[in-house]
Amino acid sequence: MSTPNQTDRQHPPLPPGQQLVAVGKWPLIGERQPASGNQPWQLAVSGSDETNVHFSLPALHKLKQTSLNMDIHCVTRWSKLSVEFTGVLLEDLIRSLTVSEGIEFVSFVAQSTRNHSTSLPLLEAIQQKTLIAHTCDGQPLAPEHGGPLRNVVPGKYFYKSVKWLKAIDLLRADRLGFWEAESGYHNAADPWLEQRYMAPTLDRRTAARLIADRNFVGHDLRSIDASGRDLSNLMAQGASLRNANFNESNLQDADFSRANMSNSHLRKTNLQFAKLIGTDLEGANLAGADLRGADLTDSSLIGSSFCEFDGQGRAVLGARIDSTTTLPRQILEPLTPDQREYFLAQFD
Ligand SMILES: Nc1nc2c(c(=O)[nH]1)N[C@H]1C(S)=C(S)[C@@H](COP(=O)(O)O)O[C@H]1N2
Ligand SMILES: [Mo]
């Protein structure tokens, strides 16, 4: 399978497992503001034969400008179609430079307290039409979305697009980005191939022991397979359970307070009286889960699913809630419209 480019629309409009945000919505993901400093804004480029290469914003505006229309696909399963970014193509930016011998990768580095970055093979970044963008839909890029400058990479999950871009490092060896290292997000990030996560790092013996003990507290159990298990009363406060598979498991009375369960698989799980307080459930699938008595106070639900629909838009596998479910209405706000409607129909 190949990655479609912007003019190739024979593919379905949405990559697998993605759902559309409401018109006009653009969720904020990850860091919310740049680290202070870098005023007036400067973009540094390393890895060329020239020394000390910097571009000010006015200097970037003097280079050839390109506008491209792209679809945003977040790894946490929300998509926003047709956003127009304007700026300088990476290809045009580095054309004026002599890239040093042996360079094969590019790292995009943010002005960020955690030194946020992401990387790609240089050739791929160029082929994907990576843009150093200062303008979005005709307006200066908003600070919360990375203004004054971010890179955008059409055709990759959006974590390859770094907000508050301060440096482009041309490298001989790859340097894994923040989310790729921290969360196990796939380094290739092709949404059409659903390259969301690298292979699990957890060994099976450890996983089996933790499952037997029903104690996940504070552990890093990304991508663990705990499907079809009896895990009632599981203790999992603060655990990292990104992409964990709990499909059809019994999680009655489990405590997932403050756990990271983004993109976890909770289809048809029994979550009766489970504590999902302050839990990150972004992109999680809870279709058909039993949430009676469960507490979802302060959980984060960007891109989460609670219901599957048939071809006619009828709810076929909805999560079960009732008056004993604690689900404050404001936490439903970031759900996609069809998912929200499913709940609102339950409340009536
Ligand atoms: N500096 C910085 N850039 C970042 C992130 C971040 O946390 N810090 N998160 C990434 C992720 S995971 C996504 S989905 C997009 C979100 O961009 P948005 O907040 O404009 O929607 O930014 C990407 N770039
Ligand atoms: Mo993301």
Side-chain angles (χ1 to χ4, degrees):
M1 211 205 272
S2 70
T3 304
N5 60 39
Q6 290 308 111
T7 53
D8 175 5
R9 288 290 182 185
Q10 281 130 345
H11 291 261
L14 277 183
Q18 296 294 115
Q19 34 180 358
L20 277 185
V21 292
V23 177
K25 282 214 174 184
W26 184 353
L28 285 173
I29 303 290
E31 295 175 296
R32 297 301 153 95
Q33 55 180 46
S36 57
N38 203 0
Q39 291 298 337
W41 205 267
Q42 291 268 323
L43 174 65
V45 181
S46 75
S48 74
D49 289 349
E50 295 77 8
T51 48
N52 204 11
V53 182
H54 284 88
F55 293 89
S56 65
L57 293 176
L60 286 171
H61 278 268
K62 283 190 199 118
L63 299 176
K64 181 182 164 202
Q65 304 294 298
T66 299
S67 290
L68 49 88
N69 203 278
M70 66 174 259
D71 298 340
I72 294 173
H73 303 301
C74 178
V75 71
T76 56
R77 299 182 187 273
W78 59 267
S79 293
K80 178 176 173 64
L81 300 185
S82 194
V83 184
E84 191 195 69
F85 288 100
T86 306
V88 180
L89 285 172
L90 176 67
E91 181 172 16
D92 293 329
L93 185 82
I94 61 177
R95 179 164 291 160
S96 57
L97 306 171
T98 309
V99 172
S100 302
E101 186 73 26
I103 294 291
E104 285 187 36
F105 295 90
V106 55
S107 175
F108 302 95
V109 185
Q111 176 75 25
S112 146
T113 47
R114 64 188 187 203
N115 217 25
H116 193 99
S117 71
T118 195
S119 67
L120 284 169
L122 179 59
L123 190 61
E124 203 184 355
I126 288 171
Q127 285 169 343
Q128 292 284 345
K129 300 200 180 309
T130 297
L131 190 71
I132 313 307
H134 49 68
T135 295
C136 180
D137 288 333
Q139 301 293 323
L141 184 60
E144 65 272 26
H145 288 301
L149 206 60
R150 81 183 292 169
N151 75 303
V152 293
V153 189
K156 294 287 179 184
Y157 282 126
F158 209 36
Y159 56 86
K160 292 291 179 184
S161 300
V162 156
K163 303 189 269 194
W164 319 297
L165 185 69
K166 72 160 184 202
I168 294 177
D169 292 337
L170 303 171
L171 304 169
R172 292 195 171 84
D174 197 8
R175 183 171 71 204
L176 210 56
F178 177 87
W179 287 118
E180 292 86 339
E182 175 81 10
S183 309
Y185 287 175
H186 202 295
N187 202 24
D190 184 337
W192 300 93
L193 301 178
E194 276 212 271
Q195 292 172 325
R196 296 181 201 271
Y197 288 92
M198 320 274 204
T201 49
L202 190 66
D203 75 272
R204 295 175 74 139
R205 289 247 303 282
T206 311
R209 180 173 50 77
L210 292 163
I211 287 172
D213 291 350
R214 297 192 197 188
N215 190 343
F216 290 2
V217 179
H219 282 280
D220 180 354
L221 301 171
R222 285 177 276 176
S223 304
I224 190 174
D225 184 355
S227 58
R229 302 280 182 153
D230 179 8
L231 286 165
S232 52
N233 296 302
L234 175 72
M235 305 294 277
Q237 297 94 311
S240 173
L241 292 165
R242 292 175 183 270
N243 196 40
N245 185 353
F246 291 106
N247 285 343
E248 302 193 33
S249 280
N250 177 13
L251 295 169
Q252 191 162 344
D253 291 303
D255 189 345
F256 291 107
S257 299
R258 298 173 324 282
N260 189 323
M261 303 185 80
S262 61
N263 285 334
S264 61
H265 307 273
L266 296 158
R267 195 172 180 273
K268 293 198 200 169
T269 55
N270 177 358
L271 282 161
Q272 285 185 65
F273 299 98
K275 288 200 182 74
L276 295 157
I277 302 170
T279 305
D280 185 340
L281 287 166
E282 294 177 9
N285 180 8
L286 294 112
D290 191 339
L291 291 168
R292 288 174 295 169
D295 188 346
L296 286 89
T297 303
D298 291 332
S299 63
S300 176
L301 302 182
I302 301 173
S304 321
S305 299
F306 290 87
C307 190
E308 287 167 13
F309 299 93
D310 67 10
Q312 273 76 50
R314 280 186 299 252
V316 286
L317 186 64
R320 195 152 173 201
I321 58 166
D322 68 10
S323 60
T324 63
T325 307
T326 307
L327 194 60
R329 290 213 186 186
Q330 77 271 14
I331 73 166
L332 302 177
E333 184 58 28
L335 291 176
T336 55
D338 51 348
Q339 295 294 330
R340 240 181 61 221
E341 264 161 44
Y342 169 74
F343 275 120
L344 297 179
Q346 307 295 302
F347 287 135
D348 293 339

